[in-house]
Amino acid sequence: MKSTCDTAAGASSGQSLTKHSSGAFAFYATGRNTLEAGARLCRAALLGVAACVLLPGSLALAEGDAAAGGEKAHTCLGCHGIKHYINTYPTYHVPRIAGQNREYLAAALHAYRDQTRSHPTMQANAGLLSDQDIEDIAAWFAAQGAK
């Protein structure tokens, strides 16, 4: 059996105190508090919509600036810009990365920087790059097309 009692404080603020059969009490918003809760919910929804509208702008930044990447990629070209380049020690064929997928390049550079992808020379070079540097370099190489 439920019993409801409005306390002086609860009644003045638009809340009612309800006792359930388990003996627990709960406050329920009524009147003015319901409107205030609705206004808070509306503000939260508007903030969520604003975040969704602004998200594409931040995604464009994450894609990198190819022009800036061209300036930053000069060191990379010493190995990755030479046709048929084979490193002497350790001996391996260095891949040409012009035209490679931007997302792949960025992921590879992040992995080298975080040392989750193994290659000492690449780890050393990528370790010096910021997130923005990585995105810019990846955008520049991707824009070069296969050459």
Side-chain angles (χ1 to χ4, degrees):
M1 179 172 164
K2 296 181 183 178
S3 64
T4 303
C5 62
D6 289 327
T7 62
S12 66
S13 66
Q15 293 177 332
S16 70
L17 179 65
T18 303
K19 181 178 180 184
H20 295 276
S21 59
S22 66
F25 285 91
F27 279 100
Y28 292 95
T30 59
R32 185 181 70 193
N33 282 355
T34 303
L35 292 175
E36 290 170 3
R40 283 192 301 271
L41 182 61
C42 185
R43 281 192 297 272
L46 287 174
L47 286 173
V49 168
C52 290
V53 169
L54 296 175
L55 186 61
S58 65
L59 287 177
L61 176 65
E63 289 180 4
D65 178 3
E71 293 293 319
K72 298 172 184 179
H74 286 290
T75 301
C76 308
L77 292 173
C79 295
H80 293 284
I82 302 171
K83 281 187 179 183
H84 310 294
Y85 179 64
I86 297 176
N87 192 51
T88 56
Y89 183 78
T91 303
Y92 63 92
H93 176 338
V94 177
R96 298 269 325 246
I97 56 176
Q100 182 64 267
N101 180 283
R102 182 192 61 78
E103 292 85 4
Y104 170 78
L105 291 170
L109 285 170
H110 280 285
Y112 284 127
R113 186 184 67 187
D114 300 338
Q115 298 188 355
T116 57
R117 188 168 177 173
S118 179
H119 188 279
T121 303
M122 285 302 300
Q123 288 175 343
N125 284 306
L128 302 172
L129 301 174
S130 70
D131 287 342
Q132 189 63 54
D133 293 338
I134 289 173
E135 297 300 329
D136 294 346
I137 291 168
W140 185 78
F141 272 110
Q144 299 311 299
K147 293 183 179 179

